[in-house]
Amino acid sequence: MTINSQDRLPSVDQKVNNIPLTANSMRVACSQCNLRELCLAVGLDDNDLHKLDDLVVKRKLKRGQQLYRAGDAFEAIYAIRTGFFKTDILTEEGLEQVTGFQMAGEILGMDGISNDRHVCNATALEDSEVCIMPYDELEELSRSIKSLQQQFHKFMSREIVRDQSLMILLGSMRAEERIAAFLLNLSQRMRLRGYSASEFHLRMTREEIGSYLGLKLETVSRAFSKFHDEGLIGVQQKYIRILNADGLKALLNHAPN
Amino acid sequence: MTINSQDRLPSVDQKVNNIPLTANSMRVACSQCNLRELCLAVGLDDNDLHKLDDLVVKRKLKRGQQLYRAGDAFEAIYAIRTGFFKTDILTEEGLEQVTGFQMAGEILGMDGISNDRHVCNATALEDSEVCIMPYDELEELSRSIKSLQQQFHKFMSREIVRDQSLMILLGSMRAEERIAAFLLNLSQRMRLRGYSASEFHLRMTREEIGSYLGLKLETVSRAFSKFHDEGLIGVQQKYIRILNADGLKALLNHAPN
DNA sequence: CAAAATCGTTGATGACGATCAATTCGCAAG
DNA sequence: CTTGCGAATTGATCGTCATCAACGATTTTG
């Protein structure tokens, strides 16, 4: 959680959005990205896709590196090409609160638009690659490309809806329901990306899951063990198998409160 | 909570965005609105302001009327001119979960952009007036007016940030901290609008506050009573006076967990 | 490979807030 | 004025999850 100067790339030579164009940050073509159906590029024709290409730059991050930090000047939003991230906020008392986990095709950084500064930290939980989209250029381009504008607005709105689902989870579900919902959500997002929905590696710790769900790590661990005993899931540390998805879903419905 | 057919305006004559242009829904000038510094119109010059005027229509709602419902087709976003609203979602089990309280100058409806349908209900908690901004026209106009585009993006981003603050509240604060934070937030927003920050009427019930904060109504009531006994606030039903704002703030800081 | 550190599991106990219940208050309608 | 109803308050009890603590497993580091 301490700030490591290595997390930041040195400032040299040619730069795009303050990131040097070196081996780990280079031009990339949206037109050839296999995520373009998940990403901002949805629905763009070839011509427009090339315009988007012109403003996108790639950057690689090692596990543990931060993409941006709370307080950083807001310059760009980021589309995840590969890898896995968490976003978190340090509360007044210095406690970390995780606000989300993001995977390929999802957009990071939109929280920064409101005040020209990021309000949360974004950290790679595994080696990852993002597309940097300088915000002022994106704004300009989206004034001339209607479907880009629409897509961008949909992404922002989706973030709002996502946050509200989490509010409901935090405000009305009990511990085991939250965990079940969390696992099902992850599973669903894996499926959407063509990965197995029934087995995957968690990239985050129990503590991070707990922080995200408003629970303590012990509670998360206990719920995993209980689900395991009931044959709902298989658990081996971070390797999870969903054995009975319907059983998990059943936990969500008849909430006692 | 039941759906009352009176809530919907009848369909007659000339209509804008499916709302008839009658006494309670008429044209209005952003250029002369005293909220324009809070609203989407921030930073527009006179010329652009008039273009915005052309697409905005006003609508009045009585207390208890719904502006839109979950599942409704998304057609417009709404700026509150006067009054007070709540947004809520009905969970699977039929429980109401309040997702926000909105007052003059705030924007409603942005959740609908992502799927072309609203995901929550918006209900007037007192007689209110909103500006209807048809979304496709707003999108088009914001392609030609840069500062409108920027302002709109900031509003969406602000909504994301707001939701995340609430996630932190729900995920990490105890009951009394939540209530204190809630009162201070309301107070702050009243001040911003030129009202007294130290005394105001709550427009929502204890149950709605509880739903918003992830608490039961009894817990809300008890916290109010306790704060009252400690001289932090004055409480007479829905009439609240903030007697010791610093005392309330102090509750937020040294959180035991 | 050993040592250290991080992460995860499990048990025992207790606190916070939910739940159940009774009463009071305020307001609208008859 | 009375009646009725929703909203709010207050008390008593209970359940869920946090906390404290010990141990085990896994990964990292020198």
Side-chain angles (χ1 to χ4, degrees):
Chain A
M1 209 144 321
T2 45
I3 291 172
N4 180 347
S5 65
Q6 265 213 325
D7 288 354
R8 284 307 172 76
L9 296 173
S11 185
V12 294
D13 279 16
Q14 187 194 357
K15 298 196 288 183
V16 175
N17 191 46
N18 211 30
I19 300 298
L21 283 179
T22 56
N24 62 353
S25 76
M26 41 196 287
R27 298 241 159 245
V28 63
C30 294
S31 44
Q32 294 178 11
C33 178
N34 56 9
L35 286 171
R36 67 178 175 283
E37 289 309 317
L38 277 178
C39 180
L40 264 185
V42 182
L44 297 202
D45 62 31
D46 281 357
N47 185 23
D48 291 338
L49 224 39
H50 287 308
K51 293 183 191 158
L52 192 54
D53 285 348
D54 287 340
L55 67 76
V56 168
V57 173
K58 200 167 73 178
R59 177 178 168 196
K60 292 190 182 190
L61 293 97
K62 288 275 176 208
R63 190 167 84 117
Q65 272 192 317
Q66 291 188 306
L67 181 57
Y68 55 81
R69 291 193 181 79
D72 280 359
F74 170 68
E75 293 173 338
I77 63 175
Y78 308 88
I80 302 174
R81 270 172 68 84
T82 65
F84 200 93
F85 285 80
K86 72 169 176 183
T87 48
D88 63 13
I89 298 183
L90 249 28
T91 63
E92 334 284 306
E93 307 94 52
L95 299 170
E96 174 197 29
Q97 165 96 15
V98 173
T99 58
F101 298 109
Q102 297 83 14
M103 47 205 285
E106 297 177 328
I107 305 288
L108 281 166
M110 294 183 292
D111 57 280
I113 298 172
S114 72
N115 287 316
D116 299 313
R117 303 223 155 255
H118 287 287
V119 299
C120 62
N121 309 295
T123 308
L125 293 183
E126 63 179 4
D127 293 358
S128 302
E129 237 179 84
V130 298
C131 294
I132 304 173
M133 309 195 273
Y135 184 62
D136 45 5
E137 295 176 45
L138 182 66
E139 251 186 354
E140 190 182 334
L141 195 59
S142 79
R143 258 178 278 127
S144 64
I145 304 177
K146 181 174 177 177
S147 62
L148 178 62
Q149 182 200 31
Q150 291 177 333
Q151 205 53 41
F152 179 51
H153 290 170
K154 279 185 195 284
F155 268 88
M156 295 209 82
S157 176
R158 202 168 302 159
E159 176 89 11
I160 291 171
V161 171
R162 185 193 74 83
D163 288 350
Q164 290 185 354
S165 316
L166 192 57
M167 284 168 39
I168 289 180
L169 180 145
L170 291 170
S172 71
M173 290 186 177
R174 344 261 245 51
E176 286 174 18
E177 299 178 80
R178 297 184 199 191
I179 314 258
F182 170 74
L183 289 173
L184 288 169
N185 175 270
L186 266 191
S187 167
Q188 150 79 9
R189 285 154 73 198
M190 295 296 280
R191 184 204 320 276
L192 236 142
R193 282 154 185 80
Y195 299 118
S196 167
S198 62
E199 49 184 304
F200 44 84
H201 272 278
L202 298 177
R203 319 255 74 134
M204 72 295 280
T205 67
R206 303 286 192 265
E207 186 169 21
E208 287 164 333
I209 297 173
S211 170
Y212 180 61
L213 298 176
L215 302 169
K216 291 292 151 183
L217 67 96
E218 294 96 328
T219 306
V220 175
S221 182
R222 277 185 244 271
F224 278 2
S225 298
K226 180 153 180 258
F227 291 171
H228 181 92
D229 293 347
E230 292 170 342
L232 296 173
I233 64 176
V235 185
Q236 277 175 285
Q237 302 289 126
K238 305 204 161 174
Y239 175 67
I240 300 281
R241 271 171 308 143
I242 309 279
L243 300 175
N244 181 356
D246 290 336
L248 287 176
K249 283 174 200 149
L251 289 179
L252 300 185
N253 295 331
H254 37 66
N257 67 333
Chain B
M1 206 145 320
T2 45
I3 289 171
N4 179 346
S5 64
Q6 265 211 323
D7 289 353
R8 283 308 172 77
L9 296 173
S11 185
V12 293
D13 280 17
Q14 187 193 358
K15 299 194 287 182
V16 174
N17 192 45
N18 212 29
I19 301 297
L21 282 181
T22 56
N24 63 352
S25 77
M26 40 196 289
R27 298 241 159 244
V28 64
C30 294
S31 43
Q32 294 177 9
C33 179
N34 55 9
L35 286 170
R36 68 178 175 282
E37 289 308 318
L38 276 177
C39 179
L40 264 185
V42 183
L44 297 202
D45 61 31
D46 281 357
N47 186 22
D48 291 338
L49 224 38
H50 286 308
K51 292 181 190 159
L52 192 55
D53 285 348
D54 288 340
L55 68 76
V56 168
V57 174
K58 200 167 74 178
R59 177 177 168 197
K60 291 190 182 192
L61 293 98
K62 288 273 175 209
R63 190 169 85 118
Q65 271 192 316
Q66 290 188 307
L67 181 57
Y68 54 81
R69 291 193 182 77
D72 281 358
F74 169 70
E75 294 172 338
I77 62 175
Y78 307 88
I80 303 174
R81 269 174 69 84
T82 64
F84 200 93
F85 284 79
K86 72 168 175 184
T87 47
D88 62 12
I89 298 184
L90 249 28
T91 64
E92 333 284 305
E93 307 94 52
L95 300 170
E96 175 196 28
Q97 164 97 14
V98 174
T99 58
F101 298 110
Q102 297 81 15
M103 46 205 285
E106 297 177 328
I107 305 288
L108 281 166
M110 294 183 293
D111 57 280
I113 299 172
S114 74
N115 286 317
D116 298 314
R117 303 222 155 254
H118 287 288
V119 299
C120 62
N121 310 294
T123 308
L125 293 184
E126 63 180 4
D127 293 359
S128 302
E129 236 178 84
V130 298
C131 294
I132 303 173
M133 308 194 274
Y135 184 64
D136 45 5
E137 295 176 46
L138 183 66
E139 250 185 356
E140 190 182 333
L141 194 59
S142 78
R143 259 178 278 126
S144 65
I145 305 177
K146 182 173 177 178
S147 62
L148 178 62
Q149 180 200 32
Q150 291 177 333
Q151 205 52 41
F152 179 50
H153 290 170
K154 279 185 194 284
F155 267 88
M156 296 208 82
S157 177
R158 202 167 302 161
E159 176 90 11
I160 292 171
V161 172
R162 185 195 74 85
D163 289 350
Q164 289 185 355
S165 316
L166 192 56
M167 285 168 38
I168 289 179
L169 179 145
L170 291 169
S172 72
M173 290 186 178
R174 342 257 249 57
E176 286 174 18
E177 299 178 80
R178 297 185 199 191
I179 314 259
F182 170 75
L183 290 173
L184 289 168
N185 175 271
L186 266 191
S187 166
Q188 150 79 9
R189 284 154 73 199
M190 296 296 280
R191 185 205 319 278
L192 234 139
R193 283 154 185 81
Y195 300 117
S196 166
S198 63
E199 49 183 304
F200 44 83
H201 272 277
L202 297 176
R203 318 254 79 131
M204 71 297 278
T205 66
R206 303 287 192 265
E207 185 168 21
E208 286 165 333
I209 297 172
S211 170
Y212 180 60
L213 299 177
L215 302 170
K216 291 292 150 182
L217 68 98
E218 295 94 329
T219 306
V220 175
S221 182
R222 276 185 244 271
F224 278 2
S225 299
K226 179 150 181 261
F227 291 172
H228 182 91
D229 294 346
E230 291 169 341
L232 295 173
I233 63 175
V235 185
Q236 276 175 284
Q237 303 289 124
K238 306 205 161 173
Y239 176 67
I240 301 279
R241 271 172 308 145
I242 310 278
L243 301 175
N244 182 356
D246 289 337
L248 287 176
K249 282 174 201 150
L251 289 179
L252 300 184
N253 294 332
H254 38 66
N257 67 334

